[in-house]
Amino acid sequence: MTATLKEESTSVPVENQKSITLEPWKPWPSAYRGSKYSLVSDDDFDDAVLKWEQRDLAIYTEPPDGLHRALALIGKTGGYGSFRVTADNEVLTKVKADEYKHIDEAPLDKGWIPVYVGKLSGTLEFDEVDLDPPKPRKYSIKVWKGFPFHHGERWSVSHDETLFWKWKDYRFESAFDHPELVSKYQKYRGTAGRLYITENAHVWVNVPKDDIAPAKQSAVRRAIKQWKQTAEQEDDTATLRLVNRRLVATSGDDDPSTGHFPIHLGQLSNFDNGVIPRPVVDEPSYFQAVCEYEHVWE
């Protein structure tokens, strides 16, 4: 199914257990988060093209129908630039304040204003990488075959078993409880840490070899063995290289043998009746910080 941008409203949780209905092109009142992509112009393509990148690696595909037009109308120069896709398929971008027509509704009148563009319908399709792979069976896991960088909302599990979203010194808890999701995480990681939720509702986590719960060590080894055998048999070089790159990046000494494997825990539909985590921004100063730059470090 070809991905399409739908210019439709979304519901966003805010303070005091309330939520607001947000229309497209209006200032985004929550955490700026999600999978990172860009719409760019490239000499190898006739039209605007969607790019995922991680350092020196770039992979391209056709953009969602309607996205280029929407970004241009919102105020992105030429309709090009970076954007995010949340776990609920909301497309977000940042627009220069002096190019943004709804600046009077934004929390600031300068810098880069986070804006809600619309919702993504369908799945982004890259020839080399499957962003919507089959989910593992209910009581099992797989090696994550999607992008292992810049893919998904980055959530954290705290020591008191709550789910929160963190950026710099800001920490925002989810508006909802997620006991089943947290429990699944804890079965494979013995300490507090991060998990990632993609726009297709897949949940994956980095699992270091020295932090696997003893009862799950054989399951992780089995998943890794099965993944490697299948990838080699199918000559799936893209997945092999991406996973190896993740292992090197998380090793601390550029040794993949000591890195963290990206493990696919399942989809949100497997946990807590499919409830999507939604951060509640309760610090107004967050918007001043996030508006300083178009691209923010995470």
XYZ file of all heavy atoms in Angstrom, residues 9 14 20 45 80 111 139 150 174 192 197 229 242 254 263:
122
model
N -7.393 15.552 11.716
C -7.094 15.975 13.079
C -6.566 14.803 13.904
O -6.700 13.632 13.532
C -8.342 16.550 13.739
O -9.350 15.565 13.849
N -2.816 16.594 27.148
C -2.126 17.742 27.736
C -2.257 17.651 29.253
O -2.709 16.642 29.791
C -2.698 19.069 27.194
C -2.366 19.233 25.720
C -4.196 19.164 27.418
N -6.653 17.654 23.705
C -7.167 18.631 22.754
C -7.206 18.000 21.371
O -6.428 17.105 21.056
C -6.314 19.912 22.724
C -4.868 19.592 22.298
C -6.333 20.613 24.071
C -4.020 20.827 22.090
N 17.282 11.462 -8.643
C 15.833 11.329 -8.697
C 15.230 12.558 -9.375
O 15.712 13.679 -9.202
C 15.260 11.177 -7.288
C 15.773 9.966 -6.551
C 16.927 10.048 -5.773
C 15.130 8.751 -6.639
C 17.415 8.946 -5.100
C 15.611 7.630 -5.975
C 16.760 7.728 -5.203
N 10.882 21.029 1.220
C 11.923 20.090 1.632
C 12.264 20.278 3.108
O 12.037 21.342 3.688
C 13.189 20.293 0.802
C 12.994 20.059 -0.676
C 13.068 21.118 -1.587
C 12.742 18.785 -1.169
C 12.898 20.909 -2.946
C 12.570 18.569 -2.529
C 12.648 19.635 -3.417
O 12.468 19.421 -4.759
N 12.444 31.311 16.191
C 13.065 29.993 16.131
C 12.339 29.062 15.179
O 11.769 29.484 14.176
N 4.778 -15.169 22.745
C 5.713 -15.406 23.845
C 7.159 -15.537 23.374
O 7.987 -16.158 24.043
C 5.293 -16.661 24.622
C 3.936 -16.520 25.264
C 2.834 -17.199 24.745
C 3.747 -15.689 26.366
C 1.573 -17.061 25.324
C 2.496 -15.538 26.951
C 1.413 -16.229 26.426
O 0.173 -16.077 26.998
N 17.433 6.051 14.607
C 16.477 7.104 14.253
C 15.123 6.538 13.846
O 14.424 7.109 13.018
C 17.022 7.980 13.115
C 18.429 8.428 13.314
N 18.852 9.012 14.484
C 19.517 8.351 12.500
C 20.144 9.297 14.378
N 20.561 8.898 13.196
N 4.086 9.088 30.300
C 2.961 8.824 29.421
C 1.656 9.137 30.139
O 1.539 8.997 31.362
C 2.957 7.356 28.977
O 1.795 7.061 28.223
N 16.801 -0.555 34.173
C 16.031 0.499 33.520
C 16.748 0.930 32.249
O 17.976 0.913 32.171
C 15.866 1.687 34.464
N 9.435 2.714 19.802
C 8.136 2.379 19.228
C 8.011 3.082 17.888
O 8.023 4.314 17.811
C 6.983 2.789 20.156
C 7.195 2.227 21.565
C 5.652 2.304 19.585
C 6.173 2.697 22.574
N 21.025 -17.033 10.321
C 20.923 -18.082 9.318
C 20.004 -17.676 8.172
O 20.332 -17.857 6.997
C 20.412 -19.373 9.964
C 21.424 -20.084 10.851
C 20.860 -21.332 11.496
O 19.630 -21.525 11.556
N 21.728 -22.201 11.982
N 23.087 -3.423 8.728
C 22.464 -2.507 9.673
C 22.585 -3.021 11.104
O 22.892 -2.258 12.027
C 20.993 -2.286 9.316
C 20.723 -1.361 8.134
C 19.251 -1.403 7.750
C 21.135 0.076 8.459
N 33.912 -0.285 19.544
C 33.807 -0.606 18.113
C 33.941 -2.092 17.830
O 34.274 -2.488 16.708
C 34.854 0.170 17.293
C 34.601 1.672 17.304
O 33.440 2.069 17.500
O 35.563 2.434 17.127
N 16.435 -6.049 19.500
C 15.499 -7.163 19.652
C 14.056 -6.671 19.492
O 13.643 -5.693 20.115
C 15.684 -7.843 21.027
C 17.077 -8.481 21.119
C 14.598 -8.881 21.264
C 17.326 -9.599 20.133
